[in-house]
Amino acid sequence: MDKTFRIGEIADFFNIPSSTLRYWNDKGVLKSKKNIENNYREYDFMDLIEISDVIFYKTLGIPLKQITSIENMELKEYKELFELHKISLFNELELLNKRIEKLKKHQSAIDEVIRLKDSGIKYGSIDIDTICGFELTEINKISLYISDPSLYIRVHDSDNLKYEKRGIIIESFNNEDIIWKKRTDKYAIFLMKEEVSEKWENNLCEYINKIKEDYNTGKILSRFLCRASENGKIFDFYKCYVEII
């Protein structure tokens, strides 16, 4: 007679909770029998094989309801189940890859904040050609922002910091939508931090005054990087580009 095992032994062997084995029995996935003398459920060699099969299908992500009916499937149905599940997994993989890319972009934005904090004012070029207006009522642009918050950018005038337009980095839908176009190759670049509070105070004016000591300036582009806490206060961090005219 084959050796039999108690539920606790099986649970330890497969490293799964005893409650999971009971649930599988209740749902008809397993067919282990109870000892009529002590009313304890016992598992033999074939039960171990059955449990191994269930775990195999679970690792593939197949729902328990489908696992229950697998043994009653004909080969054609069996093949179709796996084909459909494979398609589902590829769709999940595509979604995961998109999430990973979004995560990488956000990590890059955080790294950029850290780098700019120690660099002061630098001078260089910009990788943006066109900025379009951005209103909260524009669903297509909101979707773009959700996909990548660093596409959000504010346009100021260095001679009038009260002038501000919200924008997003995309190709224009029409010429009226454009609020900024690249017109120079030299920019002053620095990190602006703006306190998230009623007054929304920032250090933009401090940098602009310093740059104006040596250069004529045009528009200011403030590209959102991230929001974070610093010394107990919450700030929005922007990478700023100031046109050098």
Side-chain angles (χ1 to χ4, degrees):
M1 182 176 179
D2 287 340
K3 176 178 173 58
T4 59
F5 303 87
R6 295 272 183 92
I7 190 169
E9 295 176 298
I10 296 297
D12 290 341
F13 181 78
F14 286 105
N15 194 28
I16 55 177
S18 297
S19 57
T20 297
L21 291 169
R22 293 190 185 96
Y23 181 75
W24 289 354
N25 274 297
D26 292 342
K27 293 297 180 180
V29 182
L30 302 179
K31 302 176 182 63
S32 57
K33 299 177 179 62
K34 287 186 177 181
N35 186 312
I36 57 175
E37 294 180 2
N38 55 29
N39 205 34
Y40 287 136
R41 196 172 293 280
E42 293 181 340
Y43 299 82
D44 58 21
F45 177 79
M46 292 309 298
D47 292 322
L48 297 186
I49 295 298
E50 196 171 41
I51 293 169
S52 299
D53 288 342
V54 173
I55 293 173
F56 166 73
Y57 291 127
K58 289 286 289 180
T59 59
L60 295 180
I62 295 177
L64 197 62
K65 185 177 181 179
Q66 289 181 315
I67 295 174
T68 307
S69 59
I70 280 178
E71 66 178 22
N72 296 318
M73 290 182 180
E74 294 185 2
L75 286 175
K76 183 179 179 181
E77 295 175 296
Y78 196 21
K79 182 179 179 180
E80 287 177 353
L81 170 65
F82 272 69
E83 187 62 33
L84 289 172
H85 192 62
K86 182 176 70 175
I87 293 171
S88 176
L89 289 176
F90 274 119
N91 290 337
E92 289 179 21
L93 179 61
E94 184 179 0
L95 179 60
L96 283 174
N97 285 331
K98 288 179 180 178
R99 287 178 178 173
I100 290 170
E101 287 306 309
K102 287 182 182 181
L103 182 60
K104 285 180 179 178
K105 285 183 179 180
H106 199 58
Q107 285 180 309
S108 295
I110 295 169
D111 290 340
E112 186 75 340
V113 171
I114 295 170
R115 186 184 68 80
L116 289 170
K117 271 191 168 199
D118 299 324
S119 63
I121 301 172
K122 299 294 183 182
Y123 293 87
S125 59
I126 192 171
D127 60 353
I128 303 168
D129 293 315
T130 305
I131 298 173
C132 294
F134 179 31
E135 298 298 334
L136 295 178
T137 54
E138 297 176 287
I139 301 301
N140 54 343
K141 293 178 183 177
I142 288 288
S143 297
L144 285 171
Y145 172 80
I146 291 172
S147 69
D148 184 3
S150 69
L151 293 175
Y152 174 62
I153 195 162
R154 293 153 63 186
V155 180
H156 297 84
D157 191 316
S158 59
D159 293 325
N160 178 15
L161 294 183
K162 291 184 179 179
Y163 169 94
E164 178 182 311
K165 287 188 177 181
R166 290 189 293 265
I168 193 162
I169 305 169
I170 54 172
E171 292 296 326
S172 173
F173 295 110
N174 55 70
N175 288 331
E176 294 178 359
D177 199 34
I178 296 174
I179 61 173
W180 179 88
K181 274 188 174 183
K182 185 176 180 181
R183 57 175 179 159
T184 182
D185 292 321
K186 187 174 182 179
Y187 295 81
I189 302 169
F190 57 88
L191 180 71
M192 177 182 79
K193 67 177 188 178
E194 185 171 70
E195 186 178 354
V196 179
S197 64
E198 187 177 339
K199 293 184 178 180
W200 293 92
E201 294 178 344
N202 60 53
N203 57 352
L204 183 58
C205 185
E206 172 189 338
Y207 280 107
I208 296 303
N209 289 338
K210 190 171 183 179
I211 296 166
K212 279 179 172 289
E213 293 176 2
D214 300 309
Y215 298 99
N216 293 322
T217 57
K219 292 291 189 291
I220 307 163
L221 311 179
S222 304
R223 185 171 187 174
F224 180 74
L225 293 174
C226 72
R227 174 174 290 186
S229 177
E230 190 176 85
N231 299 322
K233 295 181 179 180
I234 300 173
F235 293 94
D236 283 340
F237 292 93
Y238 291 84
K239 183 176 184 178
C240 288
Y241 299 84
V242 181
E243 293 177 332
I244 302 299
I245 307 302

